[in-house]
Amino acid sequence: MPSLGADMEQGVLIEWLVKVGDHVRRGDVVAVVETPKSTVEVECFETGTVTRLLAEEGQTVPVGEALALLGAATEVEATVAAPATVEATAAAPVTVPVAAGAGVAAGAPAPSGAASGSTARPPLSPVLRHLARELGVDPTTLHGTGRDGALTRHDVEQAAVAPTPATTSPHRPRVSPLARRLAAEEGVDLTSVQGTGPDGSVRAEDVRRATRHTGSGERAASAPTSRVEVKPEAAPEEPPPPPMSDMRRSIAALMTVSNQEIPHYHLSLTIDLWRSLQWMKERNRELEMSERLVPAALLLAATARAARAVPELNGHWIEGAFRPAADVDLGLILSLRSGGLLVPAIGGADRLSVDEMMARIKVLTRRARSGRLRGSDLVPPSITVSNLGDQGVDSVLGVIYPPQVALVGFGAVAERPWAVDGMLGVRPLVTITLAGDHRATDGATGSRLLKTIDRLLQAPEEL
Amino acid sequence: MTTTPSQSGSQTAPGSPREMLETTLREIVPDASLDGVNGDADLRETFELDSLDFVELVERLGKRAGFRIEDDDADQLRTIDAATAFLSRGMRRIG
């Protein structure tokens, strides 16, 4: 069981995506694990053949414990999990070499393992392979609509529902992960549940209704159904995140620690984005529609490079001392439609081009919102960005994610009067802020980071 | 404006620009429905689209409609009525 967050002590194995005898490669998604914050696809960090599954679906497994045994060609067994010596504690998460995260940290700057670009059609991800098998679809016969012709979840599901209406389909009805879990908890037979989702798929609300009817749903009745009713509920391919209370509790605990322990200082700088946006517009005319940039890609690319240039702000405060991080693993705070936050990380972010950064942001956002982040998306960030520009605020006076020592905030990009060379003009401006840990750095260091971001954004072609 | 409640609440014809818009929106915001939404309501606000969602909407709409939508055209996708009119014009142009 890999550590999928600084405060994670255990996880629930929701689903095996491999079985005994399957050959798995390093980086393959092998299981789905649920943490208090989200459902995560766990990648394997060894290559070999699955010889034994040690954990059962539904079982709670402490961090560090083996989930399965792999046999190499030589029949030497290796464990699929973080090494047992690793222990995740809130005090020292940076010392936790998240096994599942190694792929991204060491990997090439491709958008993602599954969607990385080769000229041939990208290999089918394990999740989709599993899904296709489950739905009785032969993936080789399908036309991929994803990047480079890659098959998407949608393609597979479409193929599964296309031949026969879902209600009379001999296949298993599509069930959202949350619905499946609720059904398991409440002992509801999924085949007896009438799905109201697209194509008759079963959603969490359907299971809750079923439990209410049978009167066995005490727990379901207390579930936060208002969340489902107030916000549009996710379709099966975008299952809703786990109940808010867990996520909220987790955010509350972390932010409380931050405000109690970290003496924050805040700095802000308003930056003229005219050059960057001009460059972006020109670039967007050349790019395929699917690769088009948004300003956040430039801001993040500049921030990652600036964090490398000012290493005093890129790392962790552990046991009374600052420990610089070897890489810039840029945490990105993503808000979910249903409320709450997830903070996946972009590993090696300082080495990504703006185009690559854009691709990573899109992939991460999609995975976070669909409740299916991968273990490698949850490597502990070395510095985090909060982008509230889309919410329309001017600036972000952020709270640092411990044990990090800096949080960079982006406000909205807006046209405002701005003096250039003694002339007043209208320019697209953004206010970038830094929340710094005063134990680790002083304002002068923080200023250097913001000024570096500014300088980089004035020469976007060099990013 | 071309907005009338009857138009906004009307049945969505299969293959129409309106259906195209609704289908595409649903890929981004599950369960999104144009029913009952005013034709001049701001799409971003109504469906809580952030900038990433919006570029995704533009990308998918362009793919579905069969023509390239430029960044500068994004203003023409602000509302349901504007977007359906823009899609109709674009599709007529490409025949």
Side-chain angles (χ1 to χ4, degrees):
Chain A
M1 176 65 63
S3 170
L4 303 166
D7 50 354
M8 175 172 162
E9 288 167 2
Q10 57 190 31
V12 180
L13 181 84
I14 295 287
E15 191 175 358
W16 275 115
L17 302 178
V18 293
K19 58 182 183 329
V20 170
D22 281 358
H23 182 72
V24 292
R25 278 170 309 178
R26 179 193 164 91
D28 281 356
V29 176
V30 294
V32 181
V33 163
E34 189 182 66
T35 75
K37 290 183 209 164
S38 66
T39 312
V40 180
E41 295 184 342
V42 171
E43 294 129 314
C44 185
F45 68 106
E46 299 285 349
T47 296
T49 303
V50 179
T51 57
R52 211 173 131 203
L53 300 179
L54 299 172
E56 284 173 22
E57 292 185 356
Q59 189 180 334
T60 300
V61 183
V63 167
E65 208 162 286
L67 294 175
L69 297 177
L70 291 186
T74 56
E75 282 306 314
V76 178
E77 288 191 334
T79 55
V80 179
T85 51
V86 167
E87 197 158 317
T89 67
V94 72
T95 61
V96 179
V98 178
V104 156
S112 80
S116 61
S118 68
T119 46
R121 176 155 129 184
L124 196 60
S125 84
V127 177
L128 289 185
R129 211 162 52 216
H130 176 80
L131 181 71
R133 199 170 32 200
E134 192 175 280
L135 297 175
V137 173
D138 178 4
T140 58
T141 63
L142 300 184
H143 172 71
T145 61
R147 197 183 165 89
D148 301 326
L151 281 179
T152 65
R153 178 174 281 265
H154 186 71
D155 297 335
V156 176
E157 286 174 346
Q158 280 302 106
V161 290
T164 44
T167 44
T168 58
S169 167
H171 305 306
R172 230 165 98 184
R174 292 194 295 165
V175 182
S176 82
L178 181 60
R180 190 173 301 157
R181 187 157 48 86
L182 279 173
E185 281 173 5
E186 304 294 345
V188 172
D189 177 9
L190 276 171
T191 58
S192 69
V193 177
Q194 180 70 40
T196 61
D199 305 319
S201 55
V202 176
R203 305 186 294 189
E205 185 57 21
D206 301 327
V207 176
R208 294 200 183 101
R209 199 180 311 110
T211 58
R212 277 198 292 275
H213 285 322
T214 57
S216 68
E218 235 170 78
R219 195 121 134 251
S222 66
T225 50
S226 60
R227 173 178 57 85
V228 177
E229 281 147 18
V230 173
K231 295 275 178 179
E233 190 186 352
E237 58 265 37
E238 298 208 345
M244 260 310 293
S245 53
D246 289 346
M247 186 183 282
R248 195 72 249 163
R249 206 176 302 126
S250 159
I251 296 169
L254 203 58
M255 293 298 102
T256 303
V257 167
S258 176
N259 253 0
Q260 283 172 349
E261 292 184 0
I262 302 179
H264 284 67
Y265 67 84
H266 290 97
L267 305 173
S268 80
L269 182 67
T270 297
I271 294 176
D272 179 359
L273 280 185
W274 186 79
R275 276 174 211 274
S276 274
L277 296 191
Q278 285 298 115
W279 177 85
M280 189 186 87
K281 270 189 184 167
E282 277 167 34
R283 184 93 187 96
N284 277 350
R285 277 191 207 110
E286 300 161 6
L287 288 172
E288 291 294 317
M289 282 201 292
S290 59
E291 295 168 344
R292 236 176 247 178
L293 307 172
V294 297
L298 283 144
L299 293 172
L300 287 171
T303 303
R305 281 167 176 71
R308 185 183 54 196
V310 187
E312 298 95 318
L313 289 165
N314 184 59
H316 305 91
W317 182 267
I318 293 160
E319 290 163 5
F322 174 69
R323 302 187 190 183
D327 273 309
V328 178
D329 297 324
L330 194 66
L332 184 56
I333 302 181
L334 298 174
S335 59
L336 304 176
R337 286 188 187 285
S338 50
L341 310 166
L342 285 174
V343 192
I346 300 171
D350 55 323
R351 298 189 299 269
L352 300 183
S353 68
V354 177
D355 294 358
E356 288 163 343
M357 181 65 84
M358 183 69 204
R360 288 303 314 267
I361 303 170
K362 281 171 85 169
V363 167
L364 273 187
T365 310
R366 200 176 313 131
R367 286 195 202 142
R369 292 215 170 128
S370 65
R372 276 295 176 97
L373 282 170
R374 299 212 172 148
S376 54
D377 298 332
L378 293 169
V379 8
S382 55
I383 185 169
T384 292
V385 166
S386 174
N387 178 11
L388 288 179
D390 283 322
Q391 267 64 48
V393 296
D394 289 336
S395 68
V396 181
L397 300 173
V399 181
I400 298 168
Y401 271 76
Q404 295 162 50
V405 299
L407 181 129
V408 176
F410 303 154
V413 179
E415 293 203 325
R416 299 198 192 280
W418 187 251
V420 183
D421 299 330
M423 295 285 288
L424 194 61
V426 173
R427 294 280 188 142
L429 305 181
V430 67
T431 297
I432 298 197
T433 57
L434 171 76
D437 183 338
H438 224 323
R439 298 171 302 182
T441 60
D442 301 323
T445 309
S447 307
R448 246 170 50 228
L449 183 93
L450 293 183
K451 296 299 282 183
T452 305
I453 296 174
D454 186 5
R455 186 171 48 74
L456 291 166
L457 287 170
Q458 301 315 317
E461 64 284 353
E462 290 168 22
L463 279 175
Chain B
M1 281 303 284
T2 52
T3 315
T4 59
S6 62
Q7 183 192 353
S8 304
S10 65
Q11 280 290 313
T12 301
S16 66
R18 188 184 158 91
E19 192 208 27
M20 201 176 273
L21 178 65
E22 186 163 43
T23 310
T24 312
L25 260 174
R26 249 185 222 149
E27 290 172 356
I28 298 162
V29 184
D31 294 8
S33 168
L34 298 184
D35 292 345
V37 180
N38 260 334
D40 59 356
D42 189 296
L43 280 177
R44 287 194 201 216
E45 283 175 20
T46 307
F47 297 103
E48 296 179 3
L49 303 177
D50 63 19
S51 52
L52 276 179
D53 293 329
F54 198 74
V55 289
E56 182 127 18
L57 178 73
V58 171
E59 172 196 337
R60 285 167 181 265
L61 269 181
K63 219 176 256 174
R64 191 159 270 144
F67 64 95
R68 185 181 164 95
I69 304 174
E70 295 296 341
D71 259 9
D72 296 338
D73 296 330
D75 268 359
Q76 307 199 45
L77 299 172
R78 200 178 288 276
T79 67
I80 296 174
D81 287 348
T84 48
F86 174 78
L87 289 173
S88 303
R89 281 199 302 278
M91 286 155 71
R92 264 204 304 276
R93 205 170 52 234
I94 59 170

